[in-house]
Amino acid sequence: MDKLIPVSQPSISQREIDYVNDAVRSGWVSSLGRYIDEFESRFARYCGTRYALTVSNGTTALHLALMAAGIKSGDEVIVPDLTFIATANSVAYIGATPVLVDVDADTLCISPAAIERAITPRTRAIIPVHLYGHPADMDLINAIAEKHGLLVVEDAAEAHGAEYRGRRVGSLGMCGVFSFYGNKVITSGEGGMITTDDESLYRTAKRLRDHAMSPTRRYWHEEIGYNYRMTNMQAALGLAQLERIDEFLSKRREIMGWYRDRLSTQTKLRLNRDASWAKNAYWIVCVEVEDLSDDLRQSLMAALRERGVDSRPYFYPVSDMPVYPDADTPVAHHHSRIGINLPTYFDLSEHDVNQVCEVFTSALAQIRN
Ligand SMILES: *Cc1c(COP(=O)(O)O)cnc(C)c1O
């Protein structure tokens, strides 16, 4: 068998190697150093925010952002039911309640109507997730937030460089949260970022990230803080990747086009969404098969793997996890069940995509029989 075509793999060029080497040789291997400063300032400029704060990963970015926004135990935070589990977990870390609501079929992102229905006197915040690289409908979400006095934390972990009506994600709410895990649009190995225009949120998040040490008195701590820092070595990798992001995003767009040419003509298949106001980052290729069930999907993924193609199921609804209460979210449940993700990464060639699509088409025919 040929080697497996993976779903995701990072692109590491000489630039990444040079920057990481430089960081290591400089001796600045922990969380101070010029790559940290440069990565933060360049990322803030890229997103169009005043501040950007590096953190250890996307999950700690969410946790810190919620703490810095003042979310407390007993508060309710509205979260889409279709997302990676970390979105809901970050709310639970605080002792707040994630209120799981449905998504819109035409974006797979949180439904503004479902948000309105879920608001109670205890609601404090909304976390829209720009799922699979497609931005959520932020104007509608911000209008609801304003009307009810709620905070908006964007989970942009899958959407670096995506745009909503010409503005980059991460700049559209009170703050934005990114991940640089190895399979994301850009990576620092592990890593995350909080973006914001709010100086006080930025300062609070930074203090809590650094053990809540007093800025004026060393080793003095007036609250319980955390060590959620990124290293200078990770920032070196992240900076090199950020300098290549335009190249990454246009290649993802090209790959998406290859998939569309080969799959979107087939009946009963639906690929990634593109709302008229959205610029999708195409973090990962999505294919929904109208008549799929969980069992058929397992067989489909097994058949793909046998023929040398790796794939992933869509995220399961958070409310299906034993640790979270059930939720009435038919759209999230339906799309979650019928979706799979196919290989999407910088070094994928048109020939590879051809192969993936041929394999996908024949595996699908096989499981339908
Ligand atoms: C990846 C991801 C996270 C968490 O990021 P980590 O860096 O893996 O902790 C959070 N939310 C979403 C939507 C993600 O895809």
Side-chain angles (χ1 to χ4, degrees), residues 24-152:
V24 175
R25 282 172 203 274
S26 74
W28 294 96
V29 292
S30 287
S31 48
L32 294 175
R34 79 170 187 85
Y35 287 105
I36 289 283
D37 299 341
E38 187 75 9
F39 190 29
E40 289 178 343
S41 63
R42 294 279 282 275
F43 200 82
R45 208 178 323 145
Y46 183 75
C47 292
T49 56
R50 285 176 66 196
Y51 305 99
L53 183 72
T54 49
V55 291
S56 49
N57 58 61
T59 307
T60 53
L62 279 163
H63 185 204
L64 256 189
L66 293 173
M67 285 191 292
I71 307 303
K72 297 274 189 297
S73 173
D75 291 343
E76 291 177 358
V77 177
I78 298 176
V79 171
D81 200 18
L82 188 64
T83 181
F84 181 58
I85 196 70
T87 317
N89 284 350
S90 67
V91 178
Y93 294 164
I94 292 182
T97 305
V99 175
L100 303 164
V101 305
D102 214 349
V103 297
D104 270 342
D106 14 324
T107 59
L108 295 185
C109 297
I110 195 164
S111 153
I115 294 174
E116 288 227 80
R117 285 195 296 272
I119 292 171
T120 76
R122 290 165 61 199
T123 309
R124 289 290 316 282
I126 308 166
I127 311 183
V129 179
H130 306 307
L131 198 75
Y132 299 133
H134 191 291
D137 196 341
M138 292 303 295
D139 281 353
L140 294 182
I141 294 166
N142 282 330
I144 295 168
E146 201 163 314
K147 183 167 140 202
H148 297 273
L150 309 176
L151 307 173
V152 176

